[in-house]
Amino acid sequence: LRERLLIPVKYLHRLKKTLHLRIASGRPRFEAELALKRFHLLSCFESLVTLDDCQKEEHRILRRTGRHVRRTKPHPYPLLKAIKAIGLPDPRCAYVGDVVDDMAAARMAKKTFPMRAIGFLNRPGTRQARENLRKAGAEVVVERPAGLLRSLRTLQAG
């Protein structure tokens, strides 16, 4: 409940008008939905892939093969599941993340599906934070919501 919004509501509502917004979160579904409801953002996102979905897939694989596997980030499973849910044959996609595991997941997901990896520093970052996101796979790192909008507009145009 002490969490603050990284991107102002007005930007997300603006993006929702022209993009299919989805979330791939490492949080349990209840916690992710709680935050989205608290900030009145649930309606901005068409679907939500959470820790619960990853664990369900891990259990499915365990039952089928007897092997313990991880499907949480940095594994690309949550990103690929969110993309497949779009239902379009060849959507243009971007993944926006603020931590190294997000960018690593996007980098691995690119092997299966083309996408842009956008690192987002939720406050003006240090050179090291920017470099860490780039090393993990970010094609671009932005520090402000306006920069994020510009980055996503290139996806829309392209």
Side-chain angles (χ1 to χ4, degrees), residues 84-127:
K84 288 177 186 173
I86 294 170
L88 297 173
D90 192 23
R92 290 187 303 261
C93 297
Y95 183 69
V96 179
D98 64 338
V99 296
V100 168
D101 277 356
D102 291 332
M103 294 302 98
R107 185 184 69 236
M108 288 189 270
K110 282 185 195 184
K111 295 175 184 176
T112 304
F113 196 90
M115 73 172 63
R116 289 194 70 197
I118 302 171
F120 183 72
L121 295 173
N122 55 2
R123 57 183 74 89
T126 65
R127 178 182 292 149

Side-chain angles (χ1 to χ4, degrees), residues 137-149:
E139 295 167 44
V140 63
V141 177
V142 295
E143 294 187 13
R144 291 178 174 65
L148 179 59
L149 284 177

Side-chain angles (χ1 to χ4, degrees), residues 30-101:
F30 173 80
E31 189 179 320
E33 286 180 352
L34 178 67
L36 291 170
K37 288 175 183 174
R38 182 171 164 250
F39 291 113
H40 307 286
L41 292 174
L42 197 55
S43 67
C44 287
F45 298 95
E46 295 176 18
S47 70
L48 180 59
V49 179
T50 65
L51 175 64
D52 304 40
D53 299 300
C54 295
Q55 289 175 333
K56 198 181 295 183
E57 178 66 5
E58 292 168 0
H59 289 122
R60 188 188 69 75
I61 293 169
L62 177 62
R63 283 191 309 274
R64 197 183 70 202
T65 68
R67 288 185 355 204
H68 290 274
V69 297
R70 297 213 18 126
R71 291 298 180 256
T72 55
K73 291 184 273 182
H75 193 279
Y77 174 79
L79 281 66
L80 295 172
K81 182 173 175 68
I83 292 168
K84 288 177 186 173
I86 294 170
L88 297 173
D90 192 23
R92 290 187 303 261
C93 297
Y95 183 69
V96 179
D98 64 338
V99 296
V100 168
D101 277 356

